[in-house]
């Protein structure tokens, strides 16, 4: 689980919102999904084809959904509710 103090302003890196905030999320450390990188042409300067195939395995999808449910359960607890006046889900 990743909990980061602060809230990014308009998804801009390095710019924080004026009001304090807290962001929670998940990170799967050992995913089973596997993507690929392959050459599109014989010319070395051409960009490769990249397909990360994120969440292509059912186990990975279940892990991420379970992690997000866990984070939501933490933030729904009475101690967190007492600290926050509003909730924002940006996606």
């Amino acid at each position: 689980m990743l909990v980061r103090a602060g809230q990014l302003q308009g998804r801009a890196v390095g710019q924080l919102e004026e009001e304090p905030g807290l962001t929670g999320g998940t990170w799967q450390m050992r995913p089973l999904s596997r993507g690929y990188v392959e050459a599109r042409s014989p010319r070395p300067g051409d960009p490769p084809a990249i397909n990360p195939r994120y969440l292509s395995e059912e186990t990975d999808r279940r892990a991420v959904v379970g992690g997000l449910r866990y984070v939501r359960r933490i933030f729904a607890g009475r101690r967190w509710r007492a600290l926050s006046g509003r909730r924002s889900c940006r996606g």
Side-chain angles (χ1 to χ4, degrees):
M1 177 179 70
L2 168 69
V3 177
R4 181 176 59 214
Q7 196 171 306
L8 294 181
Q9 184 179 44
R11 296 180 179 242
V13 175
Q15 295 179 5
L16 295 178
E17 290 280 357
E18 295 295 321
E19 297 180 28
L22 188 68
T23 301
T26 63
W27 184 265
Q28 189 178 6
M29 298 300 291
R30 293 179 181 91
L32 298 177
S33 298
R34 295 289 180 246
Y36 60 85
V37 176
E38 63 185 18
R40 287 187 185 173
S41 77
R43 292 183 300 272
D46 288 350
I50 301 172
N51 184 346
R53 298 188 64 222
Y54 296 128
L55 303 176
S56 60
E57 292 287 333
E58 178 67 21
T59 302
D60 296 344
R61 292 189 293 271
R62 287 177 185 249
V64 170
V65 168
L68 292 173
R69 285 184 177 149
Y70 184 75
V71 169
R72 291 182 88 179
R73 202 168 75 225
I74 289 172
F75 287 144
R78 68 182 161 89
R79 292 183 186 204
W80 284 110
R81 278 186 307 206
L83 293 173
S84 68
R86 62 192 167 103
R87 186 178 117 202
S88 170
C89 286
R90 297 181 184 175

